Amino acid sequence: MIRISNLKLGIDEDISSLKDLVIKKLKIKEKDLIKYNIYKESIDARRRGKIDFVYTVDAQVNNEDKILKSKVKDVVKVKQATYIGVEIGTEKLNNRPIIIGSGPAGLFAALLLAQKGYNPLLLERGLDVDNRTNDINNFWNNRKFKNNSNVQFGEGGAGTFSDGKLTTRIKDIRCRKVLEELVNFGSPDEILYSHKPHVGTDILKGVVKNIRNEIIRLGGEVKFDSKVTDVIVENQEIKAVVINETETIESEAVILAIGHSARDTYKMLHKRGVRIIQKPFAIGARIEHPQELINKSQYKEFYNHPRLGAADYRLIEHTSNARTAYTFCMCPGGSVIASASNEFEVVTNGMSEHARDKANANSAFLVNVLPEDFGSEDPLAGVHFQEKYEKLAYELGGKNYNAPAQLVGDFLNDKVTTSLGSVEPSYKPGVEFVDLRECLPEFVTTTMKEALVSLDNKLHGFAMHDAVLTGVETRSSAPIRIVRDEETLESANTKNLYPCGEGAGYAGGIVTAAVDGIKCAEKIIMKYSNL
């Protein structure tokens, strides 16, 4: 198999022309092209008046060696196209592996272990995705919050109620396995090659359910409403977990994939002596614009072309106070959603369906927070920092889960908004106009103000007066790291406990979390026999 990159088609050229480009590039006859498939598709909109689709293609051809020896530009041999896996170990496993948490890290760890015959037990503190969806809708529409069934907790983790973005910067063949498995379980084929793949929350709900059913079919077990309330540690080695304070289950291989919002679990682990350290993260608000404005800014006269869909953006600004403001988890054609995981707190996030066809675009607009900002050496000080501002947001919003909000123009001029402009906030249950300086640190709002003005030069309209800021966004990543050994991936001071994914501080999105879950599962597979 060879890989051909930098193949360009104009926006109005048919995708079928790609075959001709491959043949021309390789200087071969049509009969010598056995098969080809798109490995990556991206959009080049850098030149005014022209937009190209740029492709990387994997091809199987006759006389491959001859083509490679000719050293055609942008043509290389594919070193490894598929995930191979690891060899099974020999040590006896007395109890089945336990995975705590069913987000991307936990799901993919459990899936791989099930595929290899280890009959894992997957424990989820929340509910299955169908009941979870009902509970979330009840919260958004009727303000009825459930501690164990919300945007953060439940089958599929926080990523299930998001844009389902699958972009990642890591170069790891396991990423391909993640994408291929997602397609196997119901995601669209396009995620295998799209430069910025996403699934959408509407499709993800079915995908995570299909993965769960496969884990069960292969001999695994999935238990919902099963919160791990304690761990049994002897001689710095995990022996068992306790579920709902009543049921103890022994295991010598426990993957900890709890997500970035399991604060009570963090506290329990810290109490049990598991090594935890502070970690930087970021906080801010969601910024919401008309999607059409973003489309026009990014695509100019092509903004309504049917092949392009909703445009996105990614912005970063280093400000004069040595802070960094940036956009994160941008959701084209999506909604700002209520994402609290505890009562009496307000947290925002973003979500899109696969079509990305809602009127507004939204993104987290964040400022970096450092451990020295926490004001304490406590390993959980970052958690307390988050909680402080989430509780302030709840108070300012009216103590009814409304979110504090302010128009960008008013935010820049320190004025409380009195009426909406051209952007209707999508957050449910609703918003309350406030001065966001009252629920965010001063260094955050100062940085946001300076960055808004600068970033408007990069994305025209970003600082439009009527854009809406909805606070607070605090869960971009975990504020702690559960320290692990770099070689074994076990906790640095608790053997057989494998901290994993976003919640442990080792991932930053759906794909990276899933890859980390696979890595932890591989360590168990390499050590233990499945007999």
Side-chain angles (χ1 to χ4, degrees):
M1 189 79 74
I2 57 175
R3 182 162 293 162
I4 310 108
S5 57
N6 203 30
L7 298 170
K8 292 187 177 182
L9 289 176
I11 192 170
D12 293 314
E13 290 185 82
D14 193 272
I15 191 70
S16 61
S17 301
L18 193 57
K19 180 180 179 180
D20 294 332
L21 285 183
V22 172
I23 292 169
K24 182 179 179 181
K25 181 82 172 180
L26 299 179
K27 299 177 182 178
I28 60 174
K29 295 179 180 179
E30 183 175 353
K31 65 182 178 63
D32 290 323
L33 178 61
I34 300 170
K35 66 176 183 178
Y36 74 96
N37 61 274
I38 299 170
Y39 180 76
K40 184 180 290 186
E41 175 192 74
S42 58
I43 297 172
D44 183 354
R46 292 173 295 177
R47 288 175 290 175
R48 180 173 289 276
K50 182 175 176 59
I51 289 183
D52 289 325
F53 282 81
V54 184
Y55 294 93
T56 298
V57 169
D58 286 351
Q60 188 177 348
V61 296
N62 292 322
N63 301 315
E64 178 182 299
D65 290 341
K66 181 180 178 182
I67 292 171
L68 291 170
K69 285 178 181 178
S70 67
K71 296 184 179 180
V72 179
K73 186 180 179 182
D74 300 322
V75 176
V76 297
K77 184 175 181 63
V78 178
K79 294 179 180 178
Q80 183 181 349
T82 59
Y83 172 80
I84 296 172
V86 295
E87 291 187 9
I88 293 174
T90 57
E91 190 172 326
K92 181 175 173 54
L93 186 63
N94 296 309
N95 301 282
R96 56 186 170 166
I98 292 176
I99 300 94
I100 306 171
S102 71
L107 273 180
F108 275 84
L111 178 63
L112 182 60
L113 287 166
Q115 289 171 336
K116 296 297 183 180
Y118 287 82
N119 303 329
L121 171 61
L122 177 58
L123 301 175
E124 169 55 53
R125 68 188 290 164
L127 303 185
D128 66 272
V129 73
D130 292 325
N131 282 305
R132 181 187 182 198
T133 299
N134 292 335
D135 290 333
I136 289 170
N137 285 330
N138 196 26
F139 175 45
W140 291 345
N141 296 319
N142 304 310
R143 307 176 196 269
K144 303 294 184 183
F145 178 78
K146 286 188 72 171
N147 278 306
N148 73 328
S149 186
N150 49 62
V151 167
Q152 306 295 349
F153 299 144
E155 184 174 22
T160 304
F161 291 85
S162 70
D163 181 56
K165 222 177 303 294
L166 303 174
T167 48
T168 178
R169 297 180 188 178
I170 64 172
K171 304 294 183 183
D172 191 313
I173 194 63
R174 298 176 186 88
C175 294
R176 191 68 180 179
K177 175 176 173 60
V178 171
L179 296 180
E180 288 174 351
E181 294 288 16
L182 288 171
V183 169
N184 290 340
F185 293 111
S187 297
D189 290 349
E190 67 201 43
I191 69 170
L192 292 173
Y193 56 81
S194 174
H195 178 56
K196 296 179 179 179
H198 89 111
V199 181
T201 189
D202 48 334
I203 295 176
L204 269 173
K205 293 174 188 177
V207 171
V208 298
K209 189 191 303 186
N210 291 339
I211 294 175
R212 177 234 301 172
N213 289 334
E214 179 68 359
I215 291 168
I216 294 170
R217 187 188 72 81
L218 293 170
E221 182 181 0
V222 181
K223 295 181 70 170
F224 296 108
D225 199 14
S226 297
K227 178 181 173 182
V228 173
T229 51
D230 207 350
V231 293
I232 309 300
V233 178
E234 297 176 4
N235 299 320
Q236 293 191 314
E237 185 172 336
I238 195 161
K239 297 294 184 181
V241 302
V242 179
I243 303 173
N244 298 333
E245 300 180 349
T246 58
E247 182 182 3
T248 300
I249 303 177
E250 294 182 354
S251 179
E252 61 267 51
V254 177
I255 293 178
L256 189 68
I258 55 178
H260 58 36
S261 295
R263 293 166 172 172
D264 46 6
T265 310
Y266 288 160
K267 293 170 185 176
M268 177 271 291
L269 292 167
H270 181 51
K271 185 178 179 181
R272 291 287 171 246
V274 176
R275 189 178 176 215
I276 294 174
I277 61 172
Q278 297 178 351
K279 185 178 77 62
F281 61 103
I283 69 171
R286 278 271 148 184
I287 188 166
E288 202 163 11
H289 301 87
Q291 181 61 51
E292 188 173 275
L293 179 144
I294 305 302
N295 293 347
K296 288 180 176 179
S297 182
Q298 297 291 62
Y299 296 144
K300 308 300 188 289
E301 64 266 39
F302 297 97
Y303 76 93
N304 60 353
H305 196 286
R307 284 200 68 191
L308 291 175
D312 64 3
Y313 59 80
R314 185 172 178 271
L315 303 170
I316 186 168
E317 182 71 20
H318 304 293
T319 54
S320 59
N321 61 356
R323 298 279 179 173
T324 299
Y326 63 98
T327 61
F328 174 79
C329 188
M330 192 270 163
C331 296
S335 306
V336 178
I337 62 172
S339 304
S341 57
N342 295 297
E343 287 184 293
F344 317 126
E345 295 174 355
V346 164
V347 182
T348 61
N349 199 1
M351 182 182 81
S352 299
E353 295 186 341
H354 182 68
R356 290 176 164 175
D357 56 0
K358 299 289 193 297
N360 292 350
N362 76 82
S363 174
F365 183 41
L366 305 175
V367 175
N368 65 310
V369 177
L370 304 172
E372 46 262 43
D373 298 316
F374 301 162
S376 169
E377 297 298 317
D378 182 349
L380 302 180
V383 172
H384 305 317
F385 189 93
Q386 289 177 329
E387 290 174 331
K388 172 184 175 180
Y389 293 101
E390 292 166 10
K391 289 173 180 175
L392 276 174
Y394 177 81
E395 296 277 336
L396 280 171
K399 302 180 182 180
N400 60 1
Y401 297 105
N402 276 3
Q406 196 171 12
L407 298 191
V408 164
D410 294 331
F411 174 74
L412 288 171
N413 290 292
D414 297 332
K415 292 171 54 180
V416 174
T417 297
T418 56
S419 62
L420 291 170
S422 57
V423 181
E424 182 71 29
S426 56
Y427 178 95
K428 294 192 296 184
V431 299
E432 184 74 21
F433 295 136
V434 303
D435 185 339
L436 287 175
R437 290 179 299 173
E438 296 183 40
C439 60
L440 287 169
E442 186 273 336
F443 73 82
V444 170
T445 55
T446 299
T447 304
M448 289 170 67
K449 285 180 181 180
E450 181 179 334
L452 275 165
V453 176
S454 299
L455 292 176
D456 194 73
N457 295 321
K458 299 178 182 179
L459 182 70
H460 182 65
F462 188 73
M464 68 178 287
H465 182 279
D466 290 357
V468 177
L469 287 166
T470 307
V472 291
E473 171 112 0
T474 55
R475 310 285 181 91
S476 59
S477 66
I480 60 99
R481 174 166 288 126
I482 305 173
V483 184
R484 68 188 187 189
D485 181 275
E486 293 184 7
E487 178 61 31
T488 67
L489 303 188
E490 293 170 293
S491 161
N493 67 344
T494 310
K495 282 185 63 64
N496 298 330
L497 179 67
Y498 298 83
C500 183
E502 283 203 35
Y506 292 98
I510 290 174
V511 173
T512 51
V515 165
D516 205 49
I518 291 171
K519 288 180 178 179
C520 288
E522 288 174 344
K523 294 298 183 182
I524 293 172
I525 293 166
M526 293 165 66
K527 182 176 181 180
Y528 295 105
S529 168
N530 59 2
L531 300 177

